[in-house]
Structures are given as C-alpha cells and as structure tokens.
C-alpha cells in the first residue's frame, strides 16, 4: 500500500476515465454503474450487486480486473459450498509425506462471489474474514491474500427460496451496493450484434494500468482535502438516518467512515483535490441505503430504503463551500 502516491489527482482522474472507457466498451450498461464499481476499488472496499441474472455482472467484474491488470476468479455460491471450497485446503503429498496448502479461488485480486446469498452462513463467514482481514485461516494457519484484494458479490433479488440473507453486519462490510438494471433498446441491439458475430461474443478489455500501480491509485484519495463543514455534513446525514421513524437500525459508525472514503474517491474520479457536497450526495445512495434496517411497519408498507436516504438528503442542510 503506497502511503505517498506518485500520481497527482489529475493523473489519477485521467487513469480512472481511461479505465471506465475500457470497461464501458465491453459492458453494456449506464456509465454510472462501472463508475460505482470503480468507486469501491478506489475506496479500498467491496461492492455488492443486486440484480437479475443475465445483465452482465460477471463481464463487469472480469473487465474491471483486466483494465486494472489484476488477476480474476469467479466463485459460484451454492447451498453445498463449503468454506474450504473458497479458501483452499491442505493436501497430502505422498512423495515427502507432508501436507501442502492448496489455495482456493479466493486467492485472486478480484473475486466475483456469484449469488453469495445461496451459500450457508458458515461459508459466507469465510468470505467475510477474507474481505475484512485480507487473509484466510485454514486449519489454524493464516494465509495472506493478494494485495490489492477486491470482492464483487452478487445476489438475485427475485428468487429468495432456499437462500440465506446476508446479515446486517456482513452487508455493512460492502462500501457500496448497486445494480446494473436492464440495458436500453440500443444496448440490447448491441448484444444481438455481438451474438451474431461470434468473434465478438466475449469482448476483451484493454489493460489501462499495471496491477502493481493499483495500490498507488488507491492512495490518491488519501490526499484529498475534506473541509470541517463537509465532515460535519457526512456525520449529520448518517445520524439523521437513526432518527427516522421508518428506520429500526440506522447507519453505523463504520458506515460514516465509508461515506467519507467514498466521497473522497468520488472527488478523485471527478478530478478534484477536495470534497464538495455534490460528492457526498452523489455516493449517499449506494453507500447508505443497504446499511439501513427498516421497521416492520415500514417494510409492510413497501417503504424503499432509497426513499429514506433521499428524504434524509432533503432534510439535512447542505454546507456552503468556502470560496477563495
């Protein structure tokens, strides 16, 4: 992890723009979607995608990894998936009579945890340790994961039978939650064009930066200035979620920190060395909504978490930026 980045904010913004261009060439979706995923990368967090099958989540994860010059693995979560299927296990070597650790698919820079809510809680917890600690423990031995390490987890919002909902503490580990949505008519025509031309079925993505430079890119948000008034705005937004009558559990202190980190990352992508109120507002929905636990009454009445966040944004006064 680079403490003093060699890139300036302008250079990092140019890299981010090139990364988004490369991913957008392959992934047919609104540009805001890969931007939110990149936001998670810059904020050194993980991304939760909730969307129906067939929208291009796997392609997005692989394309982001290719653009960043990072290794990629996909894990299909199923009810019979064991923790060792993710982390790896010790295998007996008959030649020298010792046990050798055989690494699991979690040992990659970018890991797609597909349909994470289909695996039992014990298996989910194994991935949680990897996400939180950057390491896995197998038979008492600790093994460090590659650095950087980034998880994109997906879950299907429609088919909930036989699934294990992510507990609140686990959802809180994801810096952002977002969705792709269906492409527009032009996008679906483009999909058919790729299908008609078999050579274009699986588009390749041009590598933009070296994998070794990702840590340097992630260090740039640490140099972004956050005015005291903006810090207060971030805290007030999160505290306001805890007083809303529709909310049983509001944003946690970890969520406050994640909003701060995401706002700085958003400023870098925009090419600014300071955080503006727009940065906070622009990331509030993907950072905060999934952290809320609504009351039973609100859930029965069909209240959307996004609506609560929008109302909070409307209620909390926006600080004025100091002008020089």
């Amino acid at each position: 992890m680079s403490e003093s980045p060699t890139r300036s904010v302008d250079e990092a913004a140019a890299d981010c723009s090139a990364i988004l261009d490369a991913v957008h060439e392959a992934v047919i979706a609104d540009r805001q979607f890969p931007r939110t995923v990149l936001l998670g990368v810059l904020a050194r967090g993980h991304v939760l995608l909730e969307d129906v099958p067939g929208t291009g989540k796997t392609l997005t994860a692989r394309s982001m990894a290719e653009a960043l010059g990072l290794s990629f693995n996909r894990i299909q979560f199923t009810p019979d998936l064991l923790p060792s299927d993710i982390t790896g296990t010790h295998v007996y070597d008959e030649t020298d009579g010792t046990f050798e650790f055989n690494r699991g698919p979690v040992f990659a820079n970018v890991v797609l945890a597909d349909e994470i809510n289909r695996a039992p809680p014990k298996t989910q917890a194994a991935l949680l340790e990897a996400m939180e600690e950057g390491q896995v423990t197998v038979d008492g031995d600790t093994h460090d994961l590659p650095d950087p390490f980034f998880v994109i987890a997906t879950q299907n919002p429609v088919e909930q039978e036989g699934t294990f909902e992510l507990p609140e503490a686990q959802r809180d580990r994801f810096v952002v939650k977002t969705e792709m949505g269906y492409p527009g008519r032009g996008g679906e025509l483009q999909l058919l064009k790729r299908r008609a031309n078999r050579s274009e079925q699986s588009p390749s993505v041009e590598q933009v930066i070296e994998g070794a430079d990702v840590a340097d890119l992630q260090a740039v948000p640490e140099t972004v200035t956050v005015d005291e008034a903006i810090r207060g705005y971030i805290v007030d937004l999160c505290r306001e979620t805890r007083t809303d009558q529709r909310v049983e559990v509001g944003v946690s202190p970890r969520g406050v920190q994640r909003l701060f980190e995401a706002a700085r990352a958003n400023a870098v992508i925009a090419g600014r060395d300071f955080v503006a109120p727009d940065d906070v507002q622009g990331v509030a929905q993907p950072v905060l909504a999934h952290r809320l636990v609504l009351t039973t009454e609100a859930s029965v009445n069909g209240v959307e978490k996004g609506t609560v966040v929008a109302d909070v944004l409307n209620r909390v006064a926006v600080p004025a930026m100091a002008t020089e």
Side-chain angles (χ1 to χ4, degrees):
M1 185 181 298
S2 177
E3 294 299 332
S4 300
T6 61
R7 283 170 171 77
S8 66
V9 170
D10 287 341
E11 290 168 336
D15 284 337
C16 289
S17 181
I19 290 166
L20 292 175
D21 287 343
V23 174
H24 195 60
E25 282 291 315
V27 179
I28 297 175
D30 185 271
R31 189 179 174 91
Q32 184 60 40
F33 171 71
R35 193 180 192 277
T36 303
V37 176
L38 182 59
L39 192 74
V41 175
L42 282 183
R44 296 195 182 104
H46 308 281
V47 173
L48 179 61
L49 304 182
E50 186 172 84
D51 224 324
V52 296
T55 51
K57 297 184 290 293
T58 301
L59 178 60
T60 298
R62 187 174 68 245
S63 298
M64 187 64 71
E66 290 175 352
L68 294 170
L70 300 174
S71 60
F72 171 76
N73 275 336
R74 175 181 176 271
I75 306 174
Q76 179 64 56
F77 279 65
T78 57
D80 60 348
L81 193 71
L82 299 174
S84 59
D85 294 328
I86 295 175
T87 61
T89 186
H90 287 95
V91 178
Y92 184 70
D93 187 345
E94 294 184 355
T95 57
D96 57 8
T98 60
F99 285 92
E100 182 179 346
F101 180 63
N102 189 15
R103 294 185 170 190
V106 77
F107 283 86
N109 295 121
V110 180
V111 174
L112 176 65
D114 212 0
E115 296 188 289
I116 188 174
N117 55 334
R118 293 205 174 277
K122 190 173 183 179
T123 303
Q124 292 178 2
L127 181 65
L128 177 62
E129 181 199 356
M131 291 167 55
E132 187 69 10
E133 306 294 339
Q135 63 184 30
V136 297
T137 302
V138 180
D139 296 333
D141 295 331
T142 299
H143 304 272
D144 290 331
L145 292 168
D147 185 19
F149 177 70
F150 179 62
V151 171
I152 300 178
T154 75
Q155 56 184 15
N156 182 354
V158 180
E159 297 177 4
Q160 296 300 320
E161 184 176 349
T163 62
F164 302 87
E165 184 178 0
L166 292 177
E168 178 197 346
Q170 199 156 338
R171 292 199 308 271
D172 205 30
R173 270 20 182 230
F174 292 96
V175 65
V176 291
K177 177 186 175 186
T178 187
E179 59 185 33
M180 292 188 71
Y182 292 111
R185 185 174 186 273
E188 294 193 310
L189 286 172
Q190 180 65 26
L191 286 173
L192 292 184
K193 179 181 178 181
R194 289 181 181 176
R195 181 63 185 88
N197 184 351
R198 291 188 177 273
S199 65
E200 295 186 14
Q201 275 192 60
S202 183
S204 59
V205 174
E206 181 180 350
Q207 180 177 328
V208 177
I209 64 174
E210 297 292 332
D213 292 334
V214 174
D216 186 69
L217 188 64
Q218 289 176 322
V220 176
E222 300 288 337
T223 68
V224 171
T225 301
V226 186
D227 188 79
E228 201 64 40
I230 298 296
R231 298 186 188 195
Y233 183 49
I234 290 171
V235 170
D236 291 342
L237 284 173
C238 295
R239 291 179 67 86
E240 184 69 16
T241 66
R242 304 169 194 164
T243 64
D244 193 291
Q245 297 296 315
R246 298 162 294 180
V247 176
E248 183 174 334
V249 181
V251 175
S252 70
R254 180 187 288 115
V256 177
Q257 297 174 67
R258 295 296 177 264
L259 183 58
F260 176 81
E261 293 160 357
R264 290 194 305 185
N266 198 59
V268 170
I269 295 175
R272 278 184 277 98
D273 61 0
F274 63 92
V275 171
D278 285 349
D279 292 310
V280 181
Q281 295 163 356
V283 301
Q285 284 286 356
V287 174
L288 301 183
H290 68 285
R291 303 178 193 278
L292 302 180
V293 178
L294 301 182
T295 63
T296 302
E297 181 181 359
S299 298
V300 169
N301 290 334
V303 174
E304 297 286 340
K305 295 179 180 180
T307 300
V308 175
V309 174
D311 291 345
V312 166
L313 286 169
N314 287 331
R315 289 200 300 267
V316 177
V318 180
M321 293 293 293
T323 56
E324 298 182 351

